Amino acid sequence: MRLEATVKRLKSLMQAFDTFYKGTADVLICAPGRINIIGGHTDYNEGFVLPMAIDLNIMFAVRARNDGLVDFFSLNLHDSAHFYLERVELRSTPQWAQYVQGVAWALMRAGYQIGGLEGVIHSTVPVGAGLSSSAALEVAAAWAWNVLYNLHIPREEIARIAQRAEVEFVGVPCGIMDQFTVAVAKRGHVIRLDCRDLSYSLHPFGREVRFVACDTNVRRTLASSEYAVRREQCNEAVERLSSALPHIRALRDVTLEDLERHRHLLSDVLYRRARHVITENERVLKAVHALSRKDFVALGRLLNESHRSLREDYEVSSPELDTMWQAANEVDGCYGARLTGAGFGGNVIALVHRDALRSFLTYVSRRYREQTGRIATLRPVRPEEGVATV
Ligand code: GLA
């Protein structure tokens, strides 16, 4: 079934390419979405995260052009966009296409010699759902230029360029986790990433459990959300704490004891924001340990603690996310769950024993509908490869 669906998808991608641009594409690129197992809102605090790429992805059939025009079509949106590389700073494209434009801008600013391209995009990563559809698009675009123009850009650098596109061109002040995961992930593994220096290690993820991405089908846009406010609050907490702790550069450097000792320097809100980040970093390290021991009970408990901390201290959950989280935890064989991504909507991820998968899907969809009147979309996901030429 999965193979059939992929073949069908590839066929329509190729057909669309021929319709719009005549002939065949030079390359076909596949860039995955991601879930973050644990480490919510720690990346921009120079902390730790534990994400994995998933088997929902963007496919980009693309060919080089020699006239400096970048022209592409989205099969999902039935919308096309184009811009000239010499006028890239104009932000002239529709919102969805600015991620591609931003990547062209970031590549040129980094000194890479790129030329035009044309291509068709198709995505199975839901938009605004916390599964990194934007990072998948950015990294797919960066990879397209990398391959078509033989740029030999290392994967870590692709991640940095894609992040710069999002922060400085599109204007969403995100951390590095999403782009890094999409660029660097390995099939069957999760990534323990230190967002301070981008050092990372890959850890195998067993087959006895599955993550299920439980979509509330409530959307948010990151740019207009509270995300930027949270970042500022973290910076302010660091600034205030550094009057007593001059060595700190980020919340990553603050221990829970430090925080308690100097609590009087912070308002209640800043204290709780900092407490989330500090305890979440500890949870990531414990989660890596639990995973290596295949201790899914311990891992599930950490996921639940993370969700509570994001809900109460960081305040980025929503009624629908909490309902989904609760429903997931009511199923025997579900070890734990948490919201993933920025929050305020989108997905909860649940860690489920393989044998309980069927009952999990049935129970959680019914329960979520009963309690919210909305339809959930539940997607069991597997750890996938990062961006690749197919
Ligand atoms: C979004 C951002 C990431 C990260 C998460 C929260 O996905 O793009 O950089 O900050 O939110 O963990």
Side-chain angles (χ1 to χ4, degrees):
M1 180 57 205
R2 279 156 65 94
L3 187 64
E4 241 172 63
T6 309
V7 170
K8 211 169 140 198
R9 201 173 156 208
L10 287 177
K11 266 193 190 157
S12 46
L13 206 60
M14 292 312 171
Q15 263 166 15
F17 190 95
D18 191 33
T19 309
F20 285 99
Y21 303 112
K22 306 291 168 230
T24 53
D26 288 342
V27 285
L28 177 64
I29 287 154
C30 180
R34 66 100 192 87
I35 59 168
N36 183 21
I37 297 171
I38 196 162
H41 291 267
T42 48
D43 62 349
Y44 54 82
N45 289 297
E46 302 189 20
F48 303 101
V49 290
L50 190 66
M52 69 184 212
I54 56 176
D55 46 347
L56 298 170
N57 53 47
I58 283 189
M59 285 200 174
F60 192 15
V62 65
R63 183 167 70 190
R65 289 180 67 105
N66 57 16
D67 57 359
L69 178 68
V70 180
D71 191 302
F72 46 104
F73 182 83
S74 160
L75 271 183
N76 300 79
L77 301 171
H78 288 278
D79 193 19
S80 65
H82 67 270
F83 60 89
Y84 281 94
L85 288 173
E86 70 230 25
R87 305 184 63 197
V88 76
E89 276 167 49
L90 283 179
R91 278 195 188 77
S92 49
T93 54
Q95 178 68 27
W96 67 270
Q98 284 186 18
Y99 296 100
V100 177
Q101 213 180 352
V103 168
W105 171 84
L107 281 168
M108 291 192 292
R109 233 187 51 160
Y112 291 105
Q113 299 290 322
I114 60 172
L117 55 80
E118 57 198 7
V120 180
I121 298 167
H122 181 258
S123 177
T124 53
V125 190
V127 174
L131 301 181
S132 286
S133 60
S134 54
L137 181 54
E138 289 152 4
V139 172
W143 197 254
W145 270 297
N146 189 34
V147 173
L148 292 175
Y149 291 95
N150 296 312
L151 303 176
H152 305 291
I153 311 176
R155 284 175 181 263
E156 286 85 344
E157 173 71 357
I158 294 267
R160 282 203 192 86
I161 284 172
Q163 185 206 14
R164 203 168 304 141
E166 182 144 352
V167 175
E168 293 177 36
F169 193 86
V170 183
V172 181
C174 64
I176 187 73
M177 169 177 68
D178 304 345
Q179 293 80 4
F180 194 90
T181 310
V182 179
V184 172
K186 281 275 159 257
R187 177 167 303 141
H189 291 78
V190 305
I191 308 174
R192 172 207 188 272
L193 172 65
D194 180 339
C195 299
R196 167 158 280 170
D197 60 7
L198 298 194
S199 58
Y200 69 97
S201 47
L202 297 167
H203 302 262
F205 186 74
R207 286 170 178 272
E208 51 276 71
V209 283
R210 288 285 284 277
F211 273 106
V212 181
C214 310
D215 197 333
T216 59
N217 283 318
V218 178
R219 296 290 177 258
R220 41 121 271 269
T221 56
L222 199 54
S224 62
S225 75
E226 292 274 303
Y227 187 85
V229 177
R230 294 297 179 283
R231 280 198 78 143
E232 275 163 29
Q233 288 170 334
C234 290
N235 291 342
E236 201 187 328
V238 171
E239 210 177 291
R240 283 166 183 267
L241 289 169
S242 63
S243 64
L245 304 162
H247 64 281
I248 65 169
R249 205 175 85 189
L251 282 178
R252 149 76 174 274
D253 303 312
V254 183
T255 64
L256 204 52
E257 296 77 63
D258 285 339
L259 180 70
E260 296 302 339
R261 198 170 330 120
H262 302 293
R263 183 177 179 162
H264 61 280
L265 295 172
L266 304 177
S267 65
D268 176 57
V269 168
L270 293 189
Y271 166 74
R272 286 185 294 114
R273 302 296 187 252
R275 183 168 65 181
H276 164 72
V277 174
I278 295 165
T279 56
E280 185 76 351
N281 274 328
E282 287 174 4
R283 282 187 287 271
V284 176
L285 301 179
K286 286 184 188 157
V288 175
H289 195 53
L291 193 62
S292 70
R293 294 189 326 257
K294 294 201 178 218
D295 185 348
F296 299 119
V297 173
L299 181 58
R301 201 178 306 127
L302 290 162
L303 297 181
N304 284 338
E305 281 170 20
S306 169
H307 185 84
R308 287 193 200 96
S309 179
L310 286 161
R311 183 182 67 200
E312 279 145 41
D313 276 354
Y314 220 64
E315 295 180 283
V316 293
S317 193
S318 70
E320 293 82 6
L321 285 167
D322 291 339
T323 301
M324 190 73 89
W325 176 75
Q326 181 62 43
N329 271 299
E330 282 163 11
V331 180
D332 263 354
C334 171
Y335 294 101
R338 65 179 284 275
L339 69 88
T340 198
F344 306 105
N347 275 259
V348 161
I349 52 158
L351 180 65
V352 182
H353 193 278
R354 196 176 50 186
D355 299 341
L357 197 56
R358 207 176 270 260
S359 54
F360 179 90
L361 300 177
T362 314
Y363 179 84
V364 174
S365 1
R366 200 194 63 223
R367 191 86 175 130
Y368 182 73
R369 194 181 55 238
E370 276 168 10
Q371 300 212 318
T372 63
R374 291 174 180 275
I375 305 288
T377 308
L378 307 181
R379 304 174 174 99
V381 291
R382 290 179 199 280
E384 259 305 327
E385 190 72 12
V387 67
T389 312
V390 185

